């Protein structure tokens, strides 16, 4: 079992920045990928950014060049630095961990992930 706890959400204006954090605990050693997903009201959950154990990352086209995913393995913490935020980035953001290899071929698909945090709200106003 892996437990994930997100923090760092909030309300910012268009063009602002936020950094999300996700602390993982439990049996984290068999985690292949960790990622950030988001879900806006009335929409499905979508992948935002994923990082592999070796450190390489994958981003959704909508956030490339604006968001950066990183991890501190010593602290079991995943981060998402979000710059140049837009109103369309408004959503609940979730941290996720995958303990299977499906995330290698389908990194931004929700069904590749076994564990989820409770979410942190990000609101961007124009």
């Amino acid at each position: 079992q892996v437990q994930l706890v997100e923090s760092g959400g909030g309300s910012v204006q268009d063009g602002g920045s936020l950094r999300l954090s996700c602390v993982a605990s439990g049996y984290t050693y068999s985690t292949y990928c960790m990622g950030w997903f988001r879900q806006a009201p009335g929409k499905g959950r979508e992948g935002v950014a994923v990082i592999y154990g070796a450190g390489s990352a994958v981003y959704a086209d909508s956030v490339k060049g604006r968001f950066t995913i990183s991890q501190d393995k010593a602290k079991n913490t995943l981060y998402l630095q979000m710059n140049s935020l837009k109103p369309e980035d408004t959503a609940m953001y979730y941290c996720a961990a995958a303990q299977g290899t499906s995330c290698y071929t389908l990194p931004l698909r929700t069904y590749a992930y076994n564990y989820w945090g409770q979410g942190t709200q990000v609101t961007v106003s124009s």
Side-chain angles (χ1 to χ4, degrees):
Q1 293 285 334
V2 176
Q3 293 78 43
L4 303 170
V5 179
E6 304 98 332
S7 62
S11 296
V12 296
Q13 294 199 325
D14 193 353
S17 297
L18 283 173
R19 188 176 83 154
L20 306 182
S21 299
C22 171
V23 177
S25 61
Y27 194 68
T28 61
Y29 298 101
S30 60
T31 298
Y32 288 89
C33 313
M34 291 197 70
W36 289 97
F37 292 74
R38 66 186 181 187
Q39 187 165 15
K43 295 188 176 181
R45 193 169 297 188
E46 64 174 359
V48 174
V50 168
I51 191 165
Y52 300 115
S56 59
V58 175
Y59 295 91
D61 288 343
S62 59
V63 306
K64 280 181 182 176
R66 300 189 299 123
F67 291 10
T68 303
I69 189 171
S70 62
Q71 59 184 358
D72 184 334
K73 291 187 176 181
K75 296 182 178 180
N76 281 338
T77 302
L78 180 72
Y79 300 100
L80 185 68
Q81 178 66 44
M82 305 186 294
N83 298 328
S84 301
L85 282 161
K86 305 175 182 180
E88 50 264 44
D89 294 318
T90 295
M92 185 72 79
Y93 282 71
Y94 297 92
C95 174
Q99 292 190 327
T101 56
S102 295
C103 63
Y104 288 161
T105 52
L106 300 166
L108 296 176
R109 298 295 180 94
T110 57
Y111 51 76
Y113 294 80
N114 312 89
Y115 300 101
W116 296 85
Q118 83 289 348
T120 186
Q121 179 67 38
V122 172
T123 303
V124 185
S125 57
S126 56

